[in-house]
């Protein structure tokens, strides 16, 4: 029994040693891979793939595809660091754009789907749900100037019901459509005067 266990241990160690072998492979199109491979020669484990375009991926692989935790560097300047599945961005991660914008949250099939936050380069911030890459659902947006909105979003736009508190102390609570006050709502001036009525195209058209 001890002899059999010893042989199994040797086989396991041997297989692990093979899996840990790192090598660099150059392809005909000019791309190259440096990292671990499995017994079938597929990229498997930790490795770096550099494409002829200049794009680069550093991280985990499984059966030849990006799978696990890794970072993708686009030659245009954007990066994504987080989870991958079967070659697609899937799971939790952080995406940074070349202009300084960034988003952290849940991803599915390469697009933002789930809960997360988006931070613009100027300091404006959105927190809440995303659907197919766009802010949709009930969330919070705080602008760089201090304005703060909490309410419904649809494809990045203030649409539905919500409340905004402006940096000057005034506020509006009511209905919105495409970032404009639309429908019943209440506006409170910075002096505290309350104005209720119907709004259209961001203007008060009927005061109660």
């Amino acid at each position: 029994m001890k002899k059999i266990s010893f042989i199994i241990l040797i086989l396991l160690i041997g297989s692990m040693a093979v899996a840990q072998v790192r090598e660099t492979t150059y392809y005909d199109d000019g791309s190259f891979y440096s990292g671990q491979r499995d017994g079938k020669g597929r990229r498997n484990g930790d490795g770096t793939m550099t494409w002829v375009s200049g794009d680069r991926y550093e991280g985990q692989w499984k059966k030849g595809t990006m799978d696990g935790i890794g970072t993708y560097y686009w030659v245009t300047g954007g990066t994504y660091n987080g989870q991958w599945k079967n070659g697609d961005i899937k799971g939790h991660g952080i995406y940074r754009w070349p202009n300084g914008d960034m988003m952290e949250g849940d991803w599915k099939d390469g697009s933002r789907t789930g809960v997360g936050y988006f931070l613009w380069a100027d300091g404006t911030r959105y927190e809440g749900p995303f659907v197919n890459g766009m802010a949709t659902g009930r969330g919070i947006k705080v602008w760089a100037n201090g304005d703060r909105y909490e309410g419904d979003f649809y494809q990045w736009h203030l649409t539905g019901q919500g409340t905004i508190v402006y940096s000057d102390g005034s506020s509006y609570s009511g209905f919105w459509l495409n970032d404009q006050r639309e429908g019943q709502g209440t506006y409170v001036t910075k002096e505290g005067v309350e104005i209720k009525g119907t709004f259209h195209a961001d203007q008060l058209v009927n005061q109660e």
Side-chain angles (χ1 to χ4, degrees):
M1 187 67 179
K2 290 184 178 179
K3 185 176 181 180
I4 294 175
S5 300
F6 182 68
I7 292 173
I8 292 174
L9 180 60
I10 290 176
L11 290 173
L12 287 172
I13 293 173
S15 63
M16 290 173 62
V18 171
Q20 294 300 316
V21 172
R22 299 183 67 89
E23 60 181 17
T24 300
T25 302
Y26 295 89
Y27 301 93
D28 292 339
D29 63 359
S31 60
F32 60 93
Y33 170 78
S34 178
Q36 298 172 323
R37 293 183 180 276
D38 62 14
K40 295 182 179 180
R42 297 172 297 190
R43 295 185 287 270
N44 199 80
D46 293 323
T48 300
M49 180 74 189
T50 304
W51 285 268
V52 66
S53 65
D55 290 356
R56 186 175 83 256
Y57 171 81
E58 299 177 1
Q60 297 175 326
W61 298 78
K62 184 177 181 181
K63 297 180 180 180
T65 62
M66 297 174 286
D67 196 298
I69 304 296
T71 303
Y72 195 103
Y73 302 87
W74 281 268
V75 70
T76 53
T79 64
Y80 169 80
N81 174 254
Q83 295 177 304
W84 296 76
K85 187 68 175 179
N86 294 327
D88 290 322
I89 295 174
K90 189 172 184 179
H92 193 85
I94 300 174
Y95 192 103
R96 299 179 187 275
W97 282 261
N99 66 355
D101 295 347
M102 66 89 69
M103 184 270 180
E104 178 176 0
D106 299 322
W107 300 74
K108 182 180 179 181
D109 299 328
S111 67
R112 300 177 292 266
T113 297
V115 178
Y117 75 88
F118 193 101
L119 181 65
W120 283 264
D122 69 355
T124 300
R125 179 187 180 102
Y126 165 83
E127 296 182 41
F130 291 84
V131 177
N132 295 326
M134 291 182 282
T136 299
R138 193 160 187 86
I140 299 171
K141 186 174 182 179
V142 181
W143 284 263
N145 66 0
D147 293 350
R148 185 181 189 278
Y149 171 84
E150 183 171 355
D152 297 325
F153 288 80
Y154 180 71
Q155 296 183 352
W156 289 111
H157 296 292
L158 279 59
T159 297
Q161 191 168 11
T163 299
I164 189 168
V165 178
Y166 299 98
S167 57
D168 65 359
S170 62
S171 66
Y172 168 82
S173 180
F175 290 91
W176 298 79
L177 180 64
N178 293 328
D179 302 323
Q180 294 185 325
R181 294 170 292 183
E182 187 75 28
Q184 292 297 114
T186 300
Y187 177 74
V188 180
T189 69
K190 61 183 179 181
E191 292 80 19
V193 178
E194 188 176 273
I195 302 171
K196 294 183 178 181
T198 303
F199 292 77
H200 175 66
D202 216 35
Q203 301 297 318
L204 179 64
V205 295
N206 184 26
Q207 185 172 348
E208 294 180 0

